[in-house]
């Protein structure tokens, strides 16, 4: 069976487990940035309502809060899989990194997940039950929980990219933690965390812009007034989303540049693979478009259109630094870490096979470009939206508005490809050797030796297929729920709902944020009180 | 007490806390088709656990996280040996989580009853699966000297797993009924009370049997006393629910679980995965543990973090302390005798 150049039936446990990790993690990370980014923005809206008492901020809090919750729960549900699958499919990895990695996951649960879930429950069910300002604080506590959780999990991931704070234990041969603070302040983690948080804000910003513009245009075509609360809701959403996107994009670029400089020092092979740079260059040029045999890593057959000097700048902040090419690094790594995998059963099918230290160039090269490209698209759309809505204007251009709606997907793709790049770019290692440490003291672990030894390919196939099917079904329901809810717009009240759809009933759930609605709505929502 | 023992105790406390808290929301979910045949009753039941289930579930994530953090050798032996059962648990937890939230994102009877059914099914699968996993890790798994499974995909599912599964589900169902009796008012309260009164003695048996087996194999005098406390607590719970003292009955039933869990973990100590192949292959806390340095770091973090968590979780329960009734009123009257 041949699927995208892979002989599917030939995949061994390791390959299937890698596909499973990739699929479940990328899927999970579609929800996560929206949870983080939109959580922050909903908390801002709620704060504005508490401070100004303006009805549009309440409406925005309720509307975007509902979107946030529909998405949040899928993030929670798929996050469960993450915590178990290190043990399920990657038990040898878990044994090897246990002294560092497990404690970060446990701390994430203890210090972040409890905060997030408990206070979100209080926020959802607390409308009208707890004092207004305390109620606002519960949302902020939940949002802080999400951000803290991102920090711990990124610290765990960054330790795999750049292991610090550990020595090799003489008795076990595994890393033993000696400096927890070093693990927490790993520069790789600080850079990746700030990059991920601002990228999450781009996701939320694009959503506000796309949906806000769509409603504004729809209302204008139906000649609804521009003075009512509903209009203010969509206008403020677009303006807030647009400015957040633009500011976040600037920060994404800055933090990304920081990451690039760290990558040059810590994982030079990932850097040259991002560029499909086969031969060392000084000064090095940045590739715009490449073709040839990227997929099979045949460097002699890779061609590229480039801009001179730029890669030297990205790597080291000047226009002359040499950036080593894939061919040179491959030899360096072979000399340091061996030409072939040890002939040991723990390496499974890979035992005794030659090691390719170069990640799949087609993946690293194109995911890196997609990540940057999608970020740029988002920023351009945000700029367009701000310009098109300047001084109270409402755009009616079909292309502009529907383009912005479509571009809601762009930062999601950017986030996903960013992680695909980061994770695929460190192959064949699952724990990458830290070059700051002398080679003989370095700690590293090959992906090939990380998989659970006792499980069969059939078991992993079973879970991979069934997880993918369930995830697919959940995605369909989530998108249906979200699009239905989003099209209906804000709840009916003093304003005019967006035409063409019945507005959501006054109570948008049984428990939902609407319980804080003005008294007039409440009489209706008694009937809707379904829980 | 050395750090490994302390963390073994911490892990035991986390699992116990998880079963005590998530146990009642599993139980309420399992009882939906039994006590919630009328729509307002069903909605009342769901409303009683609505604000709480997600926070309860974090106890599971923390318990598993603590196993990984303190005893990676346990985590890396236990999970792959029961690969497919754990995957099934994840399915149960995933579908029930989304069902809780998505159920009320759309308003039709068919939508409502479908997601209600999903909540029940997911909760049943999760309760059974987690019970099976806990039963297996305290009574025995087929592992070799390297902690690798001997046998096929379902080799880990012997009678210990079955006993654990039944024990956790039976405990949860009555726990859920006790919770409903304590937390609601009206017909549901009566029905839940009757259910608990009828089933509490039987439902305690598998759990007491499980604890008794671990006790007979490896128990000490202390754990024997704990087992007796558990058995006594069943009697108290049953006696108090008969005289309609729901709060006391709920507390006694919880005491039963806590004492039984203390018996199980206390008797099993220091073994975390007993091997059914050869006792020489048992995984102990010393085999499975991380370094003392890491345990020290975690002890500090948990020592500061856990009281804070307990504080705000307790506050949540305080905020939502009112008895609920099927009539939707916005300011529920506070009940004094809860």
């Amino acid at each position: 069976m041949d699927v995208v150049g892979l002989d599917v039936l030939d995949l061994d446990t390791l390959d299937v487990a890698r596909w499973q990790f990739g699929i479940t993690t990328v899927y999970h990370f579609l929800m996560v940035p929206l949870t983080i980014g939109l959580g922050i923005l909903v908390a801002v809206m709620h704060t504005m309502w508490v401070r100004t008492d303006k009805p549009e901020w309440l409406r925005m809090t309720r509307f975007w809060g509902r979107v946030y919750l529909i998405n949040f729960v899928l993030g929670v549900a798929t996050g469960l899989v993450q915590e178990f699958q290190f043990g399920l499919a990657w038990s040898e990895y878990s044994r090897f990194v246990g002294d560092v990695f497990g404690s970060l996951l446990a701390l994430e649960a203890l210090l972040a997940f409890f905060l997030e879930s408990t206070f979100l429950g209080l926020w959802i069910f607390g409308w009208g039950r707890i004092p207004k300002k305390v109620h606002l604080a519960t949302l902020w506590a939940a949002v802080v929980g999400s951000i803290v959780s991102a920090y711990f999990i990124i610290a765990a991931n960054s330790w795999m990219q750049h292991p610090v704070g550990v020595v090799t234990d003489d008795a076990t041969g595994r890393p033993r933690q000696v400096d927890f603070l070093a693990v927490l302040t790993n520069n790789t983690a600080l850079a990746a965390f700030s990059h991920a948080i601002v990228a999450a804000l781009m996701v939320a910003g694009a959503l506000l812009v796309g949906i806000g513009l769509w409603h504004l245009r729809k209302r204008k075509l139906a000649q609804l007034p521009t003075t009512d609360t509903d209009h203010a809701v969509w206008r403020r959403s677009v303006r807030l989303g647009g400015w957040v996107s633009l500011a976040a994009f600037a920060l994404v670029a800055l933090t990304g540049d920081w990451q690039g400089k760290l990558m040059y020092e810590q994982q030079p092979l990932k850097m040259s693979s991002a560029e499909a740079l086969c031969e060392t260059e000084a000064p090095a040029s940045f590739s715009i478009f490449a073709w040839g045999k990227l997929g099979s890593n045949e460097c002699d057959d890779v061609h590229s259109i480039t801009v001179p000097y730029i890669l030297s700048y990205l790597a080291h902040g000047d226009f002359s630094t040499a950036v080593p090419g894939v061919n040179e690094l491959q030899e360096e790594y072979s000399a340091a870490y061996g030409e072939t995998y040890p002939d040991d059963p723990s390496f499974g099918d890979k035992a005794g096979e030659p090691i390719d230290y170069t990640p799949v160039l087609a993946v690293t090269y194109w995911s890196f470009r997609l990540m940057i490209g999608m970020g740029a698209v988002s920023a351009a759309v945000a700029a367009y939206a701000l310009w098109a809505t300047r001084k109270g204007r409402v755009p009616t251009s079909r292309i502009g508005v529907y383009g912005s709606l479509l571009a809601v997907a762009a930062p999601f793709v950017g986030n996903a490809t960013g992680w695909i790049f980061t994770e695929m770019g460190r192959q064949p290692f699952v724990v990458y050797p830290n070059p700051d440490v002398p080679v003989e003291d370095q700690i590293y672990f090959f992906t090939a030796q990380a998989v659970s030894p006792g499980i069969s390919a059939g078991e992993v196939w079973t879970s991979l297929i069934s997880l993918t099917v369930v995830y697919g079904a959940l995605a369909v329901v989530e998108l249906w729920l979200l699009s239905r809810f989003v099209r209906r717009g804000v709840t009916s009240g003093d304003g005019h709902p967006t035409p063409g759809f019945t507005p959501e009933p006054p109570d948008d759930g049984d428990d939902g944020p609407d319980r804080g609605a003005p008294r007039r709505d409440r009489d209706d929502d008694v009937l809707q009180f379904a829980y | 007490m050395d750090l490994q023992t302390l963390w073994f105790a911490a892990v035991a406390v986390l699992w116990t806390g998880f079963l005590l808290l998530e146990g009642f929301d599993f139980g309420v979910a399992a009882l939906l088709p039994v006590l919630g045949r009328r729509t307002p009753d069903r909605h009342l039941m769901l409303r009683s656990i609505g604000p709480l289930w997600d926070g309860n579930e974090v106890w599971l994530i923390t318990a598993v996280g603590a196993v990984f953090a303190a005893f990676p050798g346990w985590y890396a032996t236990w999970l792959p040996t029961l690969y497919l059962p754990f995957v099934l648990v994840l399915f149960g937890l995933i579908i029930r989580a989304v069902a809780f939230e998505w159920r009320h994102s759309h308003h039709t009877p068919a939508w409502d009853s479908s997601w209600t059914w999903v909540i029940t099914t997911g909760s049943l699968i999760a309760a059974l699966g987690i019970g099976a996993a806990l039963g297996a890790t305290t009574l025995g798994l087929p592992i070799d000297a390297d902690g690798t499974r001997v046998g096929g995909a379902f080799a880990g599912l012997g009678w210990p797993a079955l006993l654990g599964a039944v024990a956790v589900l039976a405990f949860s169902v009555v726990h859920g009924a006790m919770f409903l009796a304590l937390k609601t008012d009206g017909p549901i309260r009566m029905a839940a009370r009757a259910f608990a009164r009828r089933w509490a003695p039987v439902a305690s048996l598998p759990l007491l049997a499980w604890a008794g087996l671990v006790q007979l194999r490896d128990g000490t005098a202390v754990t024997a006393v704990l087992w007796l406390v558990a058995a006594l607590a069943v009697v108290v719970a049953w006696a108090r629910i008969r005289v309609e003292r729901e709060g006391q009955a709920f507390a006694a039933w919880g005491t039963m679980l806590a004492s039984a869990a203390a018996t199980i973990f206390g008797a099993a100590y220091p073994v975390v995965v007993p091997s059914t192949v050869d006792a020489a292959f048992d995984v102990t806390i010393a085999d499975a543990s991380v370094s003392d340095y890491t345990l020290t770091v975690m002890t500090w973090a948990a020592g500061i973090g856990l009281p804070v968590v307990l504080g705000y979780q307790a506050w949540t329960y305080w905020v939502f302390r009112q008895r609920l009734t099927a009539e939707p009123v916005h300011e529920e009257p506070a009940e004094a005798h809860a």
Side-chain angles (χ1 to χ4, degrees):
Chain A
M1 200 161 55
D2 193 77
V3 178
V4 285
L6 277 165
D7 199 348
V8 171
L9 291 177
D10 243 16
L11 294 179
D12 59 11
T13 312
L14 172 66
D15 298 319
V16 190
R18 284 186 64 192
W19 274 104
Q20 174 166 296
F21 197 90
I23 289 172
T24 51
T25 308
V26 168
Y27 187 90
H28 176 58
F29 208 75
L30 294 176
M31 325 301 154
V32 172
L34 187 58
T35 295
I36 295 173
L38 196 55
I40 295 172
L41 296 190
V42 172
V44 167
M45 294 168 193
H46 193 165
T47 308
M48 291 304 291
W49 176 60
V50 169
R51 288 179 63 124
T52 66
D53 227 20
K54 284 188 181 161
E56 65 263 31
W57 286 115
L58 175 62
R59 293 280 180 78
M60 285 169 74
T61 309
R62 284 155 52 189
F63 176 80
W64 293 112
R66 190 81 203 158
V67 172
Y68 169 66
L69 292 177
I70 292 174
N71 170 73
F72 177 85
V73 72
L74 194 53
V76 168
T78 53
L80 282 164
V81 176
Q82 298 306 100
E83 202 200 25
F84 283 79
Q85 69 175 333
F86 296 110
L88 290 171
W90 303 98
S91 67
E92 291 313 289
Y93 166 78
S94 301
R95 283 182 208 280
F96 183 75
V97 301
D99 207 37
V100 182
F101 196 83
S103 50
L104 293 170
L105 292 195
L107 291 179
E108 183 189 18
L110 182 70
L111 302 178
F113 288 158
F114 271 123
L115 200 65
E116 200 179 13
S117 61
T118 309
F119 282 97
L120 202 58
L122 278 162
W123 185 67
I124 297 170
F125 291 86
W127 290 88
R129 286 193 200 198
I130 34 184
K132 211 167 160 183
K133 282 188 178 163
V134 179
H135 184 235
L136 170 63
T138 61
L139 178 58
W140 276 110
V143 168
V144 167
S146 308
I147 295 172
V148 172
S149 120
Y151 189 77
F152 279 110
I153 200 64
I154 286 177
N157 177 272
S158 296
W159 185 83
M160 300 159 75
Q161 311 278 353
H162 182 230
V164 292
V166 285
V167 296
T168 304
D169 187 84
D170 294 333
T172 62
R174 295 173 186 150
R176 181 161 54 79
Q177 187 164 234
V178 290
D179 189 350
F180 179 64
L181 212 58
V183 173
L184 279 190
T185 55
N186 190 347
N187 52 11
T188 320
L190 297 173
F193 169 72
S194 30
H195 195 61
I197 295 294
V198 287
L201 282 168
M202 288 194 73
V203 169
L207 190 72
L208 263 62
V209 165
I211 290 166
L213 278 183
W214 184 85
H215 276 288
L216 282 178
R217 174 176 181 270
K218 201 94 181 158
R219 291 173 54 88
K220 180 160 182 181
L221 294 181
Q223 295 175 331
L224 287 174
T226 54
T227 45
D228 65 4
T229 309
D230 283 10
H231 179 82
V233 164
W234 301 121
R235 185 173 164 76
R236 281 198 193 277
S237 295
V238 172
R239 304 294 296 177
L240 178 66
W243 283 115
V244 165
S245 282
L246 274 189
F249 181 68
L251 294 170
V252 161
L254 275 176
T255 52
D257 182 59
W258 181 15
Q259 284 188 290
K261 305 222 164 11
L262 292 176
M263 178 164 68
Y264 171 70
E265 292 165 16
Q266 297 168 356
Q267 300 177 325
L269 194 39
K270 192 190 272 183
M271 179 69 135
S272 48
S273 302
E275 292 302 312
L277 178 75
C278 290
E279 300 303 330
T280 305
E281 278 187 15
S285 48
F286 181 83
S287 169
I288 301 289
F289 188 86
W291 66 96
K293 292 192 176 165
L294 287 159
S296 50
N297 286 1
E298 284 171 43
C299 256
D300 298 337
D301 235 329
V302 171
H303 312 279
S304 195
I305 298 171
T306 59
V307 185
Y309 305 113
I310 299 295
L311 186 56
S312 288
Y313 181 80
L314 291 178
H316 202 243
D318 59 40
F319 295 100
S320 57
T321 294
V323 176
V326 164
N327 289 337
E328 183 185 330
L329 289 166
Q330 172 82 28
E331 278 175 34
E332 248 176 57
Y333 276 73
S334 296
Y337 311 111
E339 302 227 331
T340 57
Y341 287 110
D343 203 0
D344 179 304
S346 67
F347 287 84
D349 292 354
K350 291 273 195 315
E353 297 285 309
I355 308 174
D356 190 352
Y357 288 98
T358 311
V360 184
L361 292 179
V363 173
T364 50
Y365 182 87
W366 287 114
S367 59
F368 192 65
R369 264 141 206 83
L370 263 176
M371 170 184 78
I372 296 174
M374 289 294 147
V377 166
S378 288
V381 168
Y384 159 78
L386 289 173
W387 176 79
T389 56
R390 70 193 185 282
K391 295 183 190 152
R393 273 169 234 231
V394 173
T396 47
S397 145
R398 222 183 150 76
I399 296 175
V401 171
Y402 279 89
S404 304
L405 197 58
L406 196 65
V408 169
F412 284 99
V413 176
N415 270 280
T417 46
W419 277 108
I420 289 169
F421 168 69
T422 293
E423 299 304 293
M424 290 293 283
R426 72 175 142 88
Q427 300 303 328
F429 294 104
V430 66
V431 178
Y432 210 88
N434 179 352
D436 304 339
V437 177
V439 173
E440 62 276 14
D441 295 333
Q442 280 174 359
I443 280 161
Y444 58 89
F445 206 64
F446 288 107
T447 309
Q449 59 190 129
V451 78
S452 301
I455 58 169
S456 64
E459 280 171 86
V460 193
W461 267 119
T462 308
S463 58
L464 169 61
I465 293 170
S466 42
L467 278 169
T468 308
V469 168
V470 170
Y471 277 21
L474 294 179
V476 171
V477 181
E478 157 140 325
L479 285 174
W480 179 76
L481 276 176
L482 280 176
S483 67
R484 194 175 137 280
F485 177 74
V486 154
R487 276 187 297 168
R488 284 187 168 180
V490 283
T491 60
S492 65
D494 56 327
H496 298 77
T498 305
F501 298 94
T502 333
E504 183 74 349
D507 172 44
D508 61 0
D510 337 309
D511 54 355
D514 279 284
R515 296 202 59 198
R519 187 67 226 174
R520 196 153 49 81
D521 284 356
R522 278 199 179 179
D523 299 333
D524 300 330
D525 92 24
V526 168
L527 296 172
Q528 298 287 338
F529 198 81
Y531 225 154
Chain B
M1 200 188 322
D2 65 298
L3 284 170
Q4 291 177 356
T5 305
L6 178 72
W7 272 92
F8 179 81
V11 166
V13 167
L14 287 168
W15 279 108
T16 308
F18 161 71
L19 291 172
L20 277 176
L21 294 172
E22 187 107 306
F24 71 71
D25 67 57
F26 280 159
V28 171
L31 286 169
L32 285 167
V34 182
L35 301 179
R37 280 189 293 267
R38 287 174 53 240
T39 307
D41 292 343
R42 192 164 63 242
H43 289 165
L44 174 62
M45 290 170 74
L46 287 165
R47 203 149 52 96
S48 73
I49 52 174
L52 306 173
W53 72 268
D54 190 18
N56 294 346
E57 199 155 293
V58 180
W59 282 80
L60 173 68
I61 301 176
T62 310
V64 174
V67 170
F68 190 5
F71 305 107
W74 182 3
Y75 176 79
T77 304
W78 187 19
L79 271 67
T81 305
L82 293 169
Y83 185 92
L84 288 180
F86 268 113
V87 171
L88 207 59
V89 167
L90 291 173
F91 277 120
L93 293 172
I94 289 171
I95 59 174
R96 122 190 166 100
V98 296
F100 271 118
E101 181 57 36
W102 290 355
R103 192 183 67 79
H104 48 86
S105 294
H106 183 54
H107 304 270
T108 66
W111 178 270
D112 182 86
S113 61
S114 308
W115 286 113
T116 306
W117 183 86
V118 171
I119 290 175
T120 302
T121 311
S123 302
L124 287 175
I125 293 172
L128 286 168
I130 291 166
L134 288 170
T137 199
T138 50
L139 289 168
L141 278 170
I143 50 163
D144 65 16
D146 299 323
T148 303
R149 187 180 65 210
V150 180
F154 300 101
L157 289 181
W159 65 267
L162 188 66
L163 180 60
V166 174
V168 167
L169 182 64
F171 157 77
S172 298
V173 170
V174 170
H175 198 42
M178 298 265 191
F179 175 79
L180 284 173
L182 176 65
K183 186 72 190 165
T184 65
D185 212 347
I188 274 284
R189 181 181 175 185
M190 311 297 158
R193 211 157 54 197
F195 184 94
R197 193 172 59 220
R198 182 162 178 198
W199 293 104
V202 182
S204 67
L205 293 179
L207 185 59
L208 291 175
W210 170 14
L213 282 170
V214 187
Q215 168 66 24
L216 288 177
R217 198 188 58 206
D218 290 315
T220 63
V222 177
T223 54
V225 171
L226 286 168
W227 189 89
L228 289 173
V229 172
L232 189 67
V234 177
V235 179
V236 174
W238 189 64
R240 297 322 281 169
I241 199 79
R242 286 182 71 87
V243 294
E244 302 179 0
R245 301 305 297 263
E246 292 113 342
Q248 293 177 7
F250 183 77
W253 188 253
T255 306
M256 187 276 286
L257 184 271
S259 314
T263 310
I264 291 167
F265 283 106
Y269 171 87
V271 174
V272 289
V273 188
S275 172
T276 53
V277 176
D278 186 334
F281 303 156
D282 286 358
V283 179
T284 66
I285 55 170
D287 305 327
S289 167
V290 294
S291 65
D292 270 4
Y293 174 84
T294 299
L295 287 177
T296 308
V297 170
M298 290 209 305
T299 306
W300 277 101
I304 296 164
L306 197 59
V308 178
V309 169
L310 290 173
Y312 62 66
Q313 270 216 329
W315 183 56
T316 312
Y317 278 83
W318 175 252
V319 169
F320 299 114
R321 70 191 176 282
Q322 302 99 327
R323 271 189 196 273
L324 305 173
T325 59
E327 275 69 47
V329 281
H330 283 283
E331 273 75 41
E332 280 97 352
E335 280 279 342
H337 59 276

